[in-house]
Each structure stands twice: as C-alpha cells, then as structure tokens.
Amino acid sequence: MYSVGDYLVHPGQGVCQVRDVTSGPQAVYQLLPVGKRHPVHISFPVANEGRLRPVLTRDEAERIIEDYPTIEVERFQARNNSLEEEHYRTEMRQGSCRDSVRIVKTFRARIAELSARNKKPPVAYERILKEARERSCSELAVALGCTPDDVALLLQRSMGESAEQN
C-alpha cells in the first residue's frame, strides 16, 4: 500500500503523488498528477492498486540514461497510423519507463528519417513522441530529483548531442 507523499505511476495519467488515502470499505487514493499544466485530483480505488506501479529508483533511472545510446528502436508498424498509435499508447500505459524511453527514441528516429526524405511525418507520430517524452521525462525527473528539462539534457548528452540539436 502506498502512503501520503509517495510517487507512483498511474496507467493513464503517468507520475502522480499520493495526496491522501481514505480508509473504509471503499478505500481510495487521492492522486495529483505531477508536471501537468492543469492537474486534476484523481480518486483511485485501493482495491485496484495492482494497476499502479512505483516510480523508478535513482539507480534504475541512471541506468536508463546510461543505456540510452544502446536502446534499440522498435520495428513495430501497423497498416495504418491509428492502429500504430493505439499499440504505442497501450505500451506506454502498461509498460515501464524504459518502454517509454524506447518509444521516444523510435519516434525521434522515424520523424528524422521522414524529414531527411523531405516528407512530413504523420501527426500521430508527433502525438506519440510528445506523450512518450512527457511520461518518461517526468518519471526520470522524479527519480533523479531534477526537472524534466534536465532529464532531456542528460539523455542528449548520453547520445553525444549538444543542446542545440533538439
């Protein structure tokens, strides 16, 4: 069971902080999403806490950043963009932070490859990239005790990129 002040990952909202835990027959976590522009309190039944997962540890977060250059891009492609988007959204909701980081790397590569061929990437690619980046950076930021912008810089440095390249 999580306690007030703990950080956890909600499948739909990403990183949240436990603000309150009500007890009784219908015990509920009161969660506040982290890093959202207009956060809304979420009531989440304690009985369903198996769908929640704890935020990464500092060591796990550092390992993901260290491994970033060697994380393989995903080769999954569906016959249309909406099926592909659904696949990746499900993977982000049910997967780990490492999965979200892999999705970011995958879509950065896909968008760069299309742009290099003077093609406009599908809007779905931009949406997937944005959501995966927000989820992974916010979780890594909480684990490392820094801001999501700092995490983005750490990931760029691990790839040997300068800040101007992104």
Side-chain angles (χ1 to χ4, degrees):
M1 186 162 175
Y2 297 99
S3 304
V4 174
D6 287 351
Y7 288 94
L8 51 85
V9 180
H10 181 279
Q13 298 297 319
V15 179
C16 295
Q17 185 178 29
V18 179
R19 292 298 187 156
D20 192 21
V21 182
T22 60
S23 56
Q26 297 293 324
V28 172
Y29 289 118
Q30 294 297 322
L31 307 175
L32 183 66
V34 174
K36 303 282 187 197
R37 187 171 288 156
H38 303 290
V40 177
H41 280 74
I42 301 166
S43 295
F44 194 87
V46 172
N48 292 346
E49 79 177 336
R51 294 182 52 214
L52 303 172
R53 67 175 174 80
V55 171
L56 297 170
T57 65
R58 183 175 190 84
D59 289 341
E60 291 169 330
E62 289 171 350
R63 200 169 314 113
I64 287 174
I65 290 172
E66 184 180 302
D67 293 347
Y68 186 70
T70 60
I71 293 174
E72 293 289 322
V73 296
E74 195 164 318
R75 299 289 172 213
F76 175 84
Q77 289 198 310
R79 62 180 180 263
N80 66 42
N81 290 336
S82 64
L83 290 174
E84 202 166 315
E85 187 173 9
E86 183 59 33
H87 167 80
Y88 286 108
R89 284 187 187 280
T90 300
E91 193 170 339
M92 281 185 273
R93 279 193 303 271
Q94 297 173 354
S96 66
C97 184
R98 185 176 285 273
D99 293 330
S100 293
V101 169
R102 183 174 23 78
I103 292 168
V104 168
K105 191 170 181 179
T106 297
F107 281 91
R108 282 186 72 199
R110 286 184 185 184
I111 290 168
E113 188 243 324
L114 288 170
S115 296
R117 295 187 305 166
N118 290 327
K119 295 193 180 238
K120 186 168 173 29
V123 175
Y125 282 18
E126 298 288 345
R127 276 195 307 262
I128 295 166
L129 175 62
K130 181 181 178 196
E131 184 178 339
R133 183 181 287 146
E134 286 174 359
R135 287 182 77 97
S136 59
C137 284
S138 65
E139 185 170 358
L140 289 167
V142 167
L144 296 171
C146 61
T147 67
D149 292 338
D150 293 337
V151 170
L153 288 172
L154 289 170
L155 290 169
Q156 286 175 350
R157 286 190 196 125
S158 76
M159 288 293 289
E161 299 175 2
S162 65
E164 298 84 44
Q165 287 178 304
N166 195 8

